[in-house]
Amino acid sequence: MIEAFSWRAAHLAKDGLAAQARLRHRVFVERRALPHATFDGMEYDRFDTPAAVYLVWRDGGGEARGLIRLLPTTRPYMMQTFWPEMVAEGAPPVSPKIWEITRVCVDKAAIPRERRVILPELLCGVAEFFELNGISAMVGVARAHLVEHYIPQEGIRWLGAAAEVEGEVERAFLVPTRFIRPTAHLEKLGVTGRVLNLFGDEDMAERSAA
């Protein structure tokens, strides 16, 4: 199951908040050598606020191996703050019905059979969270080939041209909720049923718009 929680319910997820920060440190600081803010082996940024929702994938030993952080666009978010020029027409969206996916990462130290399933299950968790909260679309900035690998072409709206972001060539995108769940990948991997374990945040989208 994917653990989903915000600060308000983080105590119910045991060490979930720290575990995702340690994973981010391994992926972004240790592996990619990015100059992100850190403390005591944990990575963090200005968007780690009570409005954020964390989706954490753990292995059988309880180690966090995958993460997607969700940010409401009704509050400052990464595309809007750092890369607004990647949206060719108009400004980055601001709507309680649109959330951003950020800090997407998979631990390369996970065993291969687990590594294959982490991102598809996390995307499934995003779709479930959005459906529960009446969220209509996700936005983000990512490598185009990665988005196209999991999302059908008809579900991707590219918001602008590609640009370099932290050493990678990436594009801003919008994907309606109905296209987020990577059905073909889940079927191939034998993943069925719900994957999300919510810790007290069923009304998170409503609160973020307040």
Side-chain angles (χ1 to χ4, degrees), residues 5 27 41 69 78 82 109 112 123 175 179 192-193:
F5 56 88
V27 172
R69 181 181 64 183
M78 293 192 74
F82 295 128
L123 287 171
V175 175
F179 293 107
T192 59

Side-chain angles (χ1 to χ4, degrees), residues 155-176:
I156 306 170
R157 176 186 164 196
W158 298 112
L159 300 179
E164 185 173 325
V165 175
E166 295 190 316
E168 301 279 1
V169 177
E170 304 190 350
R171 291 184 76 177
F173 62 86
L174 181 147
V175 175

Side-chain angles (χ1 to χ4, degrees), residues 24-30 32-34 36 103-105:
R24 286 159 55 175
H25 189 277
R26 294 197 300 272
V27 172
F28 298 116
V29 179
E30 296 175 16
R32 293 186 58 188
L34 297 174
H36 290 185
R103 288 301 188 260
V104 179
C105 57

